[in-house]
Amino acid sequence: MAARLVFLGRLEELAGCPFADVAFGAPLHWADVLAWLGDDQAPELPALVNSDKVRLALNGMMVTDKASLTVVDGDELAFLPPVSGG
Amino acid sequence: MAARLVFLGRLEELAGCPFADVAFGAPLHWADVLAWLGDDQAPELPALVNSDKVRLALNGMMVTDKASLTVVDGDELAFLPPVSGG
Amino acid sequence: MATNWRSCPRFPVADLLDVRLCTAPFDPALELRNFTRALPQAGGIVSFLGQVRAGDGVEALDLRHYAPLTLPAMRTLAGQVRGRWALDGLLIIHRSGEMVPGDPIVLVAAAARHRRDAFAAADFAMDHLKSESWFWKREKVAGQWRWIEPRMQDFEDIARWR
Amino acid sequence: MATNWRSCPRFPVADLLDVRLCTAPFDPALELRNFTRALPQAGGIVSFLGQVRAGDGVEALDLRHYAPLTLPAMRTLAGQVRGRWALDGLLIIHRSGEMVPGDPIVLVAAAARHRRDAFAAADFAMDHLKSESWFWKREKVAGQWRWIEPRMQDFEDIARWR
């Protein structure tokens, strides 16, 4: 099973790539996603994406409660930092 | 001596012309202008242009006090009804 | 529908103020493009285009002006707007004469570094152009011309700025 | 300066709503002309054009979007604006990708029978586009790209409508 994680705005720089595909044997919960981000992407990512400033979209729908998130095969999970003004 | 009287907006229809040249022997005062308008142009014109709704411009300058107006040779006196909205 | 546009002479008051009274049709898209290109430092340009409405049964519109008052009044208004907001440029073009549905009547454009200044300046300029400048309007409906009286809405619009 | 424009595909939501996300330059004057010509019954058209400012030392601007969110959000906003004011038409075009000074970024135009509706609708649409739609912005200054953070001004602009 695999899912795509998409990094928008400055998160792309921190992650070092616009998106990453993650393979897993069982559905991922929020804690699994955070652990994977810290291990495979960048150590500062978990705390950042866990903050209220970064929102999530799962398959184009906004996630209202990060803690209850489940990622299954074929999902696309996007990390959305605050948008730029101006 | 002569002066030009200019009729704007619907006053043109009442006067029957966009402007009229008036000849005189001595400078015209406001009462003279009103009398001339009633006699030579249209009987309803004097009351109309004497009302607060119609403003005057003498040689392109707004007239603040109609009663103190004096028209001399070469003057252009314009009668300005309310402008149209919309 | 809209008449083909012809050139409209320019009477620039200052570098960034372009105030014109046109007796022939003008092309708003062309005017806006030229205005915008002249102001690359402006982040935002707000414009208002007023055109002769189709579908109201109005066959033609005639705007009369009085030369010694109308253009000076437009220039005075432009100066007030420039003094009130931080603008990079201000464009005011007003038609006079006879127009048909689809013809542009008035184009106001305000260019500014900040969006809010551009919106407020264009809005203010339109409110005051409509109510304080020297235009008299006739409409032709079913072959008959009739003069248009001032509307109360214009006085209310003006009151917003006092 | 400004890049030559290329065609931008249309995704009309309804007859009078034209909402587009363009990855290539577009021509605001041409877009406004087409919009205006399609709406002869509208008396007034208010437009806002945002362009990449020259003279700030910004060499390029890069706007990133997230396809599954950005266009749906623009369409939702357009629907809100249409529901709030009596409009004849609403046009929203937003660029994404890399731009240089002079390039248009965003064009919003609202056409209405009444001037006040057109001004308010365009103003509201811009405030909400800037603050609620999904664009992330980088600027290139002295050869270095840097991400732009949200500005407090945008939150204040939004608060005006609550």
Side-chain angles (χ1 to χ4, degrees):
Chain A
M1 291 191 283
R4 175 161 290 186
L5 306 187
V6 179
F7 306 105
L8 278 305
R10 63 166 66 234
L11 296 179
E12 177 183 332
E13 272 177 24
L14 286 172
C17 54
F19 61 87
D21 290 326
V22 50
F24 47 88
L28 295 178
H29 297 288
W30 183 231
D32 305 322
V33 173
L34 292 178
W36 187 88
L37 286 174
D39 292 344
D40 286 54
Q41 298 295 125
E44 61 269 48
L45 266 181
L48 199 55
V49 303
N50 201 30
S51 80
D52 288 344
K53 285 192 137 193
V54 173
R55 301 185 68 186
L56 302 184
L58 183 64
N59 303 320
M61 302 291 289
M62 299 306 296
V63 173
T64 49
D65 178 21
K66 290 174 182 173
S68 65
L69 179 85
T70 305
V71 177
V72 300
D73 189 39
D75 277 353
E76 178 167 300
L77 179 63
F79 297 92
L80 315 162
V83 295
S84 310
Chain B
M1 291 190 282
R4 175 162 290 187
L5 306 187
V6 179
F7 306 105
L8 278 306
R10 63 166 65 235
L11 297 179
E12 177 184 332
E13 270 176 25
L14 285 172
C17 54
F19 62 88
D21 291 325
V22 51
F24 46 88
L28 295 178
H29 297 287
W30 182 231
D32 304 321
V33 172
L34 292 178
W36 187 88
L37 286 174
D39 292 346
D40 285 54
Q41 297 295 124
E44 61 270 48
L45 265 181
L48 199 55
V49 303
N50 202 30
S51 79
D52 288 342
K53 287 193 134 193
V54 173
R55 303 185 66 186
L56 302 184
L58 184 64
N59 303 321
M61 302 291 289
M62 299 305 296
V63 173
T64 49
D65 178 22
K66 290 173 181 173
S68 65
L69 179 84
T70 306
V71 176
V72 299
D73 189 39
D75 277 353
E76 178 167 301
L77 179 64
F79 298 91
L80 314 161
V83 294
S84 309
Chain C
M1 295 295 293
T3 318
N4 284 332
W5 63 278
R6 276 162 272 159
S7 69
C8 173
R10 287 184 191 219
F11 304 100
V13 170
D15 280 355
L16 306 168
L17 277 184
D18 186 356
V19 179
R20 281 177 274 163
L21 187 57
C22 300
T23 54
F26 65 96
D27 179 355
L30 180 72
E31 298 291 350
L32 263 181
R33 188 195 307 247
N34 291 342
F35 180 71
T36 300
R37 285 201 177 149
L39 297 165
Q41 76 279 21
I45 294 108
V46 171
S47 74
F48 175 84
L49 169 66
Q51 58 184 5
V52 183
R53 260 198 305 253
D56 288 352
V58 174
E59 292 148 17
L61 176 68
D62 182 23
L63 278 184
R64 304 288 184 88
H65 71 279
Y66 179 52
L69 291 180
T70 308
L71 190 58
M74 286 169 63
R75 287 176 170 163
T76 299
L77 172 59
Q80 285 169 355
V81 174
R82 281 273 293 160
R84 190 158 174 163
W85 287 280
L87 301 183
D88 291 309
L90 180 65
L91 172 72
I92 300 179
I93 304 178
H94 209 297
R95 264 297 305 275
S96 68
E98 210 172 308
M99 289 158 267
V100 296
D103 275 353
I105 305 169
V106 57
L107 176 67
V108 165
R113 190 172 175 86
H114 299 294
R115 190 167 83 246
R116 189 114 327 282
D117 289 333
F119 266 106
D123 198 1
F124 178 96
M126 275 308 305
D127 278 353
H128 287 76
L129 255 184
K130 288 269 181 178
S131 301
E132 290 182 5
S133 62
W134 298 99
F135 289 103
W136 294 270
K137 186 159 96 176
R138 295 194 305 163
E139 284 179 355
K140 190 155 118 185
V141 176
Q144 296 284 334
W145 285 104
R146 63 184 178 88
W147 290 99
I148 307 300
E149 294 296 317
R151 289 188 314 149
M152 279 318 293
Q153 177 65 41
D154 293 308
F155 295 107
E156 289 163 20
D157 287 346
I158 284 286
R160 297 189 309 133
W161 302 101
R162 293 215 171 108
Chain D
M1 297 294 294
T3 319
N4 284 331
W5 65 278
R6 277 162 271 158
S7 69
C8 173
R10 288 186 189 216
F11 304 100
V13 172
D15 281 355
L16 307 168
L17 277 185
D18 187 355
V19 179
R20 280 176 274 163
L21 187 57
C22 299
T23 54
F26 64 96
D27 179 355
L30 180 72
E31 297 292 349
L32 263 181
R33 188 196 306 246
N34 291 341
F35 180 71
T36 300
R37 286 202 176 150
L39 297 165
Q41 76 279 19
I45 292 107
V46 171
S47 75
F48 175 84
L49 169 66
Q51 58 185 6
V52 183
R53 260 198 306 250
D56 287 351
V58 174
E59 292 149 17
L61 177 69
D62 182 24
L63 277 183
R64 304 287 185 89
H65 72 279
Y66 179 53
L69 291 179
T70 308
L71 190 59
M74 286 169 63
R75 286 176 169 163
T76 300
L77 172 59
Q80 285 169 355
V81 174
R82 281 273 294 159
R84 189 158 174 165
W85 287 281
L87 302 183
D88 291 311
L90 180 65
L91 171 72
I92 300 179
I93 304 179
H94 210 298
R95 263 300 303 276
S96 67
E98 211 172 308
M99 289 158 268
V100 295
D103 275 353
I105 305 169
V106 56
L107 176 68
V108 164
R113 190 173 176 86
H114 299 294
R115 189 167 83 247
R116 189 112 331 278
D117 289 332
F119 266 106
D123 198 1
F124 178 96
M126 275 309 304
D127 278 353
H128 287 75
L129 254 184
K130 288 266 181 180
S131 301
E132 291 183 4
S133 62
W134 298 99
F135 289 102
W136 294 270
K137 188 160 95 175
R138 295 195 303 162
E139 284 180 354
K140 190 156 119 184
V141 176
Q144 296 285 334
W145 285 104
R146 62 183 179 87
W147 289 100
I148 307 301
E149 293 296 316
R151 289 189 314 151
M152 279 318 294
Q153 178 66 39
D154 293 310
F155 295 107
E156 289 163 19
D157 287 346
I158 284 286
R160 298 188 311 132
W161 301 103
R162 293 214 171 108

